[in-house]
Amino acid sequence: MKPSLLLSALCLTLGCAPATPPPTRETLVLTGTAYDRGLQHGTQLRSKIRSFYTTLMANSLFPFLSREQPDIATLLKEYEAERYQNGGFARELLLESAKNLERDIGRNGRDEMRGIADGSGLTYDEVLILNTFVDTTLAVRGIGLAIRQGRAPVVESVEFLGVGADGRDNSGEGAVDEADEGVIKPYVPPFFAAAVEVAVDTKLRVVFADPDGVDPQTVRVRVNEGLFTFGDPALEVVELDATRVQATWTPPSPLPAASVVTFVLSAGDKRIIEVPGPPRASFRRDEELVVTTQGAGLAPRDLSRPALTDNRTRPPPFVVGARGARAADGPLLAHSFALLDANTAHKHTVLLVHRPDTGPAYATVGWAGIVYGISGLNERGVGVACNPSDTLDNSVVGSVLDQVADLPRAKLLASGLPVGFLVKRVLERASTAAEGVGALTDIAPVYGWNCTVADDQGGLEVVELDSDVFKQGQRGVYRYTPTDRDPSMRRYSSVTDDDVIVGSSYTRNVEDSITLTLAGQRVVPQRFWSGFFFRSRRVIDDVTRRVAARTEPIDVAWLESVLVTPEVVDRSDSMNAVVLDLRRRTVHAAMGTVPATDSPFVATELGR
Amino acid sequence: MRRALLWLLLSPSLAFALETQVLPQGAIMLDVGYLRTSLDKQWSGDRRALSLIDDIPRYEPGGGLQGILRARPVAEFDFLLVSALYGVTDALSVGVNVPILMRSTIATNLSWEPGDYQPQLGRKYSLEDFWSWAASMGQPRVPDRVVNTQFRLADIVLGAKYLLPRFEWMKANHFRWSAQLNVALPTGSNADPEEAVSVGTNLWELHAAGDVELHLAADKHFFVDEAGVYRLNLGADASYAFFRPRQYTAGKGLKNPLLNNNAFYVGDTYWIDPGDWFAGTVSVDVVPFIGPTRASIVSGGSLEKAQALPPMVTLSASYTYIATLQSDWQSNSKLWDWEREKLWQPGEKNVFKFTGTVSLLRLGVPIQLYASYRTQDIVPGRFTRPANVFTGGVRALMKFW
């Protein structure tokens, strides 16, 4: 015994024991006033807050967003000023927007951020940026993406050859071989099927157009598992003129009968953009067309998009809500959230349990230094989870519209309330889902979001939000419940009256933006430009199939199993996976790794 | 007292081939050696050979994985090692060891595994795309090869070795034992925190020896002739090496804004407590050829004394086991600390060394030539970096009466 005791003592003194990794997920219980809670948060996570700010903002997002400066400065000359040069663009832009957003955040939110600043040693401005960058970045990135799509080739027309004379109803409109059946011109990205009951030997013809010319060698057509590129005998690519290319795909073998077939189209232009690097053409996003072949017997709206396995897209965030007969043990909300990990967010995850002096206790699933989460529940049994939904009907576009008379001096400026603060409002105020929806909708969001609110009494509602800068008459609020029906009398996004599946695209607010040309840039609805649109439609269909196939009541374990299904997990940017058990006031959260679902679900009871 | 150079040594530094070797009183030994070391891997906790640098996944913010940047660096160093040893008494020698890094060459051997498809590019990132992307954010490309020919001083080591008094049975059985203390002066440098590829020259960064080392050694001769020259020696050494905590400056991204910008959360400075070492060595020295002997100035004109001089050829082999303790980073960020500490957990080195020595003392020339090769590849270690070292040098022996 003596030698081992001696050895142990020696080891304790010298440090034989290996170091242990610090936790990548934390749970903090915060009490008192908003400032007190912020101070506790800032003090306890001081190290992580500083590393999160540096690794995510200073080392990743600031330089990345600053790449947009040359492009944006061509339109908005104000950004040619000295302080936006040399990498200062992103920080200045985010700070200016943060200051503008600060007004709407409210005193409690500001006090909490001040507490974090005091506890962590960050400046208040840095904490403010950290708490507002998500929405502002999404809006600016959305504008940048729309601009890039605006200079990429457009799909001028799509035609399924022979469909107009095949004696079948291929549009689901109840008529056979009507004029232009099988032709989509002008091209509008289909929300549901592009055509149904097409022949198995149907050819596809697509015309791409671009003022800079379409590079024929970049034309790419994928049909289910088959890829056809320039030079493939099945893909005939013809330059119609200096600005248009026609691609005709002929099936090398018959398409599978009575099946769903996915076509993915893309092309790039002839103008190579050198700055910022890397040099590249402007590429049309992958346009997805889904059809059924003869014998499938499905209407366009009944088609379910199959999974794509070409590793070109990643599943976006989604929510599943269940109540009543579908959730025998009580209402549940499941959330898969993926957006921006950048190899750092997963190291800084934190579940915050707030026990304020006044108002209900609540828990949010978020990150160090950020006062909110994108999902959470309160002790009154109300839960909420939100997904981004790209839109040009956002506050930053609104700021440009407000300054359109003086574009050279105009700035990109976010306004409204960031989604995390909307989530906080729900949790701080609501006792029912309806009250939660009210808290979400009485102030405009900075960007587009789909929020699902539920309560322990069975309240379940989805709110699709935009900033309503085009004054379309709905105040940017589009609501539906599982029982609501669209004009075709189908549920918006539910299998039964007691469930809902929500993705990262609008289901009701499909005309989220009007169509106009602003300073030479086309402003169009989400489905024309968003990189989320098709993949969101696909993940909704995937999860819907799983919910439909579930014959047993939906419970926590089953929802967790859905969230970790590889087909719906973004392996690069998954940030957290959460199941909110509203009856038991329990948060089941997987986080702390990327993807988050590589971590186990850990239950945290909030209590009543 | 005119003394033959019998004890003038077999090794220039304080780490003798014979574990217990010391100089006779008043003798001075100068040694100039050349060391070439090469390092291309680290041992994992389960003894697998890994790259010296972890894979670096790079992400496009919100755009998924750009790709994985893989470096398979090979580092080569050329050292000049100048040593001097002085016999204070017949039982006590003191010395100084001055290592100078003459040239460092680091080939980064970067490669790239493409990540997610990037819609805005119409392709996945290639390595060229990645560096172009990085350049757009102010991050210069890491060079494929970095050569530094500026002479830089490493930590100077001062040492003293004391031949412990021998009992009669020790003498009768050709058994010797000694104690040795080495102390390093902090004359080496830290790696430049702003450079993407940089090496420091302090003992911790070279991972060569402790700041303070205490050795207890023993030798047993076999087949000893009348002059006292052995044909076989078995030796052993046990040591403890202490490393002092070191303060480092964190990078502020002045040259590499994406790679070396961590001072804000790590702190302007941070500390490393390297963790100490325990080591044990066993060695064998074989004399295949004693060689011709003649009386000369080296032996004071005495043939009898000349016959006691070291043999012309000695071949040595040794094995050293070094247990390394956990290295502890202490900064403002435990996450950052862990990213480093996980590579420097308690581990071990298994060092084999083979040495050949040609001594011209018996011929009247006070010169010894030696060459050695030290490798850590034969038996994989754990959580250490196995540098392989070739050494060649010459020793000159003097005595001032």
Side-chain angles (χ1 to χ4, degrees):
Chain A
M1 282 300 287
K2 277 186 180 175
S4 72
L5 277 175
L6 185 64
L7 195 61
S8 300
L10 198 62
C11 276
L12 280 175
T13 307
L14 297 172
C16 300
T20 53
T24 52
R25 61 168 291 160
E26 311 257 5
T27 299
L28 295 190
V29 178
L30 309 172
T31 59
T33 65
Y35 177 83
D36 290 342
R37 284 178 275 134
L39 187 63
Q40 293 157 30
H41 179 169
T43 305
Q44 293 180 54
L45 298 185
R46 176 187 171 88
S47 155
K48 283 194 172 179
I49 292 167
R50 295 174 71 88
S51 79
F52 191 39
Y53 183 84
T54 309
T55 54
L56 184 69
M57 306 304 295
N59 290 0
S60 182
L61 209 55
F62 288 164
F64 178 71
L65 265 186
S66 290
R67 287 161 41 92
E68 305 281 352
Q69 186 260 347
D71 271 354
I72 291 177
T74 60
L75 180 66
L76 308 174
K77 301 295 183 190
E78 179 70 15
Y79 291 110
E80 290 177 349
E82 180 65 27
R83 65 194 174 112
Y84 299 109
Q85 305 287 331
N86 303 318
F89 170 77
R91 188 181 186 283
E92 287 298 318
L93 183 143
L94 291 178
L95 181 58
E96 287 167 359
S97 282
K99 294 284 190 188
N100 203 46
L101 299 173
E102 187 184 13
R103 294 175 305 181
D104 285 328
I105 285 174
R107 183 174 174 182
N108 277 353
R110 293 196 297 270
D111 283 352
E112 196 173 336
M113 288 189 287
R114 205 160 273 119
I116 290 176
D118 290 348
S120 67
L122 261 65
T123 65
Y124 175 74
D125 282 354
E126 288 166 340
V127 176
L128 186 61
I129 289 174
L130 196 55
N131 279 271
T132 55
F133 82 91
V134 171
D135 292 67
T136 307
T137 301
L138 282 171
V140 173
R141 179 194 133 278
I143 292 169
L145 181 56
I147 290 173
R148 282 194 289 277
Q149 285 296 293
R151 65 185 175 213
V154 296
V155 178
E156 193 175 81
S157 64
V158 169
E159 182 179 1
F160 294 97
L161 302 181
V163 163
D166 63 357
R168 289 187 291 273
D169 174 13
N170 306 108
S171 61
E173 294 170 350
V176 173
D177 295 343
E178 68 265 41
D180 289 338
E181 194 173 48
V183 179
I184 309 175
K185 185 177 183 181
Y187 172 74
V188 174
F191 211 79
F192 300 105
V196 292
E197 296 295 309
V198 302
V200 295
D201 58 353
T202 298
K203 296 181 179 180
L204 171 71
R205 177 166 291 161
V206 185
V207 176
F208 292 100
D210 190 295
D212 296 315
V214 180
D215 182 352
Q217 301 204 33
T218 63
V219 173
R220 185 182 190 276
V221 176
R222 186 179 175 91
V223 185
N224 286 348
E225 299 299 315
L227 176 62
F228 303 89
T229 55
F230 182 79
D232 191 300
L235 185 65
E236 182 190 21
V237 182
V238 178
E239 288 194 77
L240 299 177
D241 53 41
T243 61
R244 295 188 307 152
V245 158
Q246 174 182 285
T248 304
W249 175 78
T250 303
S253 58
L255 295 168
S259 298
V260 177
V261 176
T262 304
F263 295 87
V264 184
L265 319 172
S266 71
D269 67 3
K270 288 182 173 175
R271 179 176 159 231
I272 301 300
I273 299 167
E274 300 283 348
V275 178
R280 64 207 180 276
S282 294
F283 274 85
R284 183 82 230 147
R285 68 169 181 180
D286 283 359
E287 296 288 332
E288 294 180 23
L289 303 170
V290 189
V291 303
T292 63
T293 51
Q294 193 175 353
L298 292 172
R301 299 179 68 97
D302 294 334
L303 177 147
S304 184
R305 291 171 188 262
L308 278 183
T309 56
D310 62 351
N311 293 321
R312 279 165 72 100
T313 69
R314 294 172 292 126
F318 66 90
V319 167
V320 180
R323 65 178 180 186
R326 296 238 62 186
D329 288 342
L332 301 167
L333 267 188
H335 191 205
S336 171
F337 188 66
L339 191 64
L340 169 64
D341 180 73
N343 201 28
T344 187
H346 69 276
K347 300 171 187 171
H348 301 87
T349 64
V350 57
L351 191 146
L352 296 176
V353 178
H354 288 262
R355 299 197 181 283
D357 284 345
T358 58
Y362 62 94
T364 57
V365 184
W367 301 269
I370 295 179
V371 301
Y372 54 75
I374 310 296
S375 62
L377 65 76
N378 70 16
E379 66 176 342
R380 295 170 181 166
V382 176
V384 58
C386 297
N387 300 330
S389 191
D390 281 338
T391 181
L392 293 175
D393 190 346
N394 69 59
S395 64
V396 178
V397 171
S399 74
V400 178
L401 286 173
D402 291 343
Q403 305 165 85
V404 74
D406 190 11
L407 269 186
R409 297 175 68 178
K411 285 185 175 181
L412 301 174
L413 208 55
S415 59
L417 202 57
V419 70
F421 288 96
L422 288 170
V423 167
K424 250 173 118 67
R425 280 168 64 89
V426 172
L427 301 177
E428 286 170 344
R429 298 175 182 203
S431 299
T432 64
E435 289 178 9
V437 171
L440 277 174
T441 56
D442 64 5
I443 188 164
V446 175
Y447 194 60
W449 290 88
N450 298 338
C451 293
T452 308
V453 191
D455 64 39
D456 64 345
Q457 301 303 307
L460 180 60
E461 187 160 359
V462 180
V463 190
E464 297 179 347
L465 299 165
D466 64 38
S467 299
D468 196 30
V469 298
F470 302 114
K471 308 299 179 197
Q472 291 169 283
Q474 296 275 343
R475 293 192 309 108
V477 176
Y478 300 81
R479 303 166 57 166
Y480 61 90
T481 68
T483 56
D484 288 336
R485 307 276 173 147
D486 66 14
S488 70
M489 298 310 293
R490 286 177 165 82
R491 292 186 177 88
Y492 281 101
S493 194
S494 301
V495 176
T496 71
D497 283 350
D498 288 324
D499 58 59
V500 69
I501 301 97
V502 184
S504 298
S505 56
Y506 291 128
T507 297
R508 184 164 183 191
N509 182 22
V510 291
E511 299 298 333
D512 56 294
S513 162
I514 61 172
T515 299
L516 80 160
T517 301
L518 174 64
Q521 297 295 333
R522 293 273 291 167
V523 175
V524 289
Q526 174 190 74
R527 65 183 181 280
F528 285 86
W529 63 273
S530 170
F532 275 120
F533 177 71
F534 289 113
R535 48 195 182 118
S536 170
R537 296 298 307 162
R538 233 181 307 115
V539 83
I540 289 172
D541 285 353
D542 184 305
V543 176
T544 298
R545 287 194 296 272
R546 296 173 197 279
V547 170
R550 174 74 175 174
T551 54
E552 301 293 314
I554 290 173
D555 56 18
V556 171
W558 185 78
L559 285 172
E560 289 178 355
S561 74
V562 171
L563 292 174
V564 303
T565 304
E567 289 83 356
V568 300
V569 173
D570 179 343
R571 299 203 63 80
S572 298
D573 280 316
S574 158
M575 300 184 81
N576 59 53
V578 176
V579 178
L580 304 175
D581 183 337
L582 304 175
R583 180 172 292 171
R584 292 171 185 78
R585 275 56 162 179
T586 300
V587 179
H588 301 261
M591 57 185 184
T593 52
V594 64
T597 47
D598 279 358
S599 292
F601 284 87
V602 176
T604 303
E605 289 184 30
L606 185 58
R608 293 168 192 258
Chain B
M1 185 173 69
R2 188 177 174 87
R3 189 177 295 268
L5 297 179
L6 174 66
W7 298 112
L8 296 189
L9 41 126
L10 301 171
S11 172
S13 69
L14 297 170
F16 296 87
L18 275 187
E19 308 293 352
T20 60
Q21 195 67 64
V22 291
L23 288 177
Q25 186 174 15
I28 293 176
M29 189 276 307
L30 291 177
D31 183 305
V32 179
Y34 164 78
L35 276 74
R36 182 172 182 81
T37 78
S38 91
L39 176 63
D40 63 1
K41 60 179 169 291
Q42 62 180 321
W43 297 122
S44 68
D46 56 0
R47 302 181 192 281
R48 285 179 299 116
L50 305 177
S51 169
L52 287 167
I53 298 176
D54 277 353
D55 290 350
I56 305 169
R58 295 297 316 186
Y59 290 83
E60 177 113 351
L65 180 68
Q66 290 176 328
I68 299 171
L69 189 61
R70 293 209 166 89
R72 296 288 177 269
V74 176
E76 293 176 332
F77 305 101
D78 297 288
F79 277 94
L80 178 66
L81 194 61
V82 180
S83 305
L85 199 64
Y86 175 68
V88 179
T89 70
D90 283 348
L92 176 65
S93 293
V94 296
V96 59
N97 199 343
V98 183
I100 299 165
L101 178 59
M102 299 186 295
R103 176 189 175 95
S104 62
T105 305
I106 299 174
T108 50
N109 294 321
L110 294 174
S111 62
W112 179 257
E113 180 184 322
D116 297 328
Y117 172 77
Q118 299 294 330
Q120 77 281 7
L121 279 187
R123 60 181 184 265
K124 295 181 178 183
Y125 271 87
S126 65
L127 182 58
E128 292 302 316
D129 288 336
F130 167 71
W131 284 121
S132 178
W133 176 85
S136 75
M137 298 186 293
Q139 171 61 49
R141 182 170 188 155
V142 173
D144 295 331
R145 187 178 178 86
V146 177
V147 179
N148 187 343
T149 55
Q150 184 182 8
F151 278 35
R152 284 178 291 161
L153 189 59
D155 285 350
I156 293 174
V157 178
L158 305 177
K161 180 180 276 190
Y162 181 61
L163 189 61
L164 295 167
R166 293 194 291 174
F167 301 106
E168 284 304 319
W169 66 265
M170 290 180 168
K171 292 177 183 173
N173 290 285
H174 305 290
F175 188 90
R176 299 152 51 89
W177 61 328
S178 67
Q180 180 177 337
L181 177 67
N182 294 349
V183 177
L185 304 179
T187 50
S189 58
N190 293 349
D192 185 337
E194 298 296 346
E195 293 291 348
V197 179
S198 173
V199 292
T201 62
N202 66 55
L203 282 178
W204 154 242
E205 299 210 25
L206 297 175
H207 227 235
D211 294 314
V212 177
E213 286 194 356
L214 189 61
H215 292 256
L216 186 62
D219 281 313
K220 169 80 171 79
H221 300 336
F222 297 91
F223 310 114
V224 181
D225 65 17
E226 292 174 352
V229 176
Y230 63 84
R231 284 283 186 167
L232 174 68
N233 177 73
L234 296 180
D237 178 284
S239 65
Y240 165 68
F242 163 79
F243 285 88
R244 63 181 168 78
R246 290 165 154 76
Q247 190 175 36
Y248 280 79
T249 302
K252 294 184 175 173
L254 302 177
K255 294 180 180 174
N256 293 281
L258 295 190
L259 298 178
N260 288 2
N261 184 13
N262 50 38
F264 181 75
Y265 65 102
V266 167
D268 286 344
T269 59
Y270 60 93
W271 289 83
I272 301 175
D273 185 349
D276 300 339
W277 295 354
F278 294 93
T281 298
V282 291
S283 60
V284 57
D285 307 280
V286 177
V287 176
F289 180 59
I290 292 178
T293 308
R294 68 182 179 87
S296 69
I297 187 171
V298 173
S299 60
S302 163
L303 181 60
E304 183 185 356
K305 289 180 178 175
Q307 286 172 335
L309 288 169
M312 280 197 75
V313 178
T314 304
L315 301 176
S316 307
S318 68
Y319 164 71
T320 301
Y321 173 84
I322 302 174
T324 60
L325 300 189
Q326 173 73 55
S327 302
D328 180 21
W329 268 254
Q330 296 159 12
S331 78
N332 291 339
S333 172
K334 287 185 168 51
L335 282 171
W336 187 84
D337 295 346
W338 167 250
E339 291 299 319
R340 280 128 202 92
E341 289 167 350
K342 69 183 181 186
L343 305 175
W344 296 92
Q345 296 182 54
E348 66 186 48
K349 299 181 181 210
N350 295 288
V351 185
F352 291 85
K353 184 178 180 183
F354 307 96
T355 306
T357 305
V358 175
S359 172
L360 305 178
L361 298 176
R362 285 175 172 265
L363 300 177
V365 180
I367 295 290
Q368 287 184 325
L369 305 171
Y370 62 90
S372 72
Y373 184 68
R374 193 177 70 187
T375 177
Q376 298 181 49
D377 283 346
I378 297 173
V379 177
R382 292 187 309 118
F383 294 119
T384 49
R385 284 146 179 75
N388 295 327
V389 184
F390 167 79
T391 307
V394 58
R395 299 169 192 137
L397 308 167
M398 295 170 281
K399 185 164 183 178
F400 300 99
W401 284 268

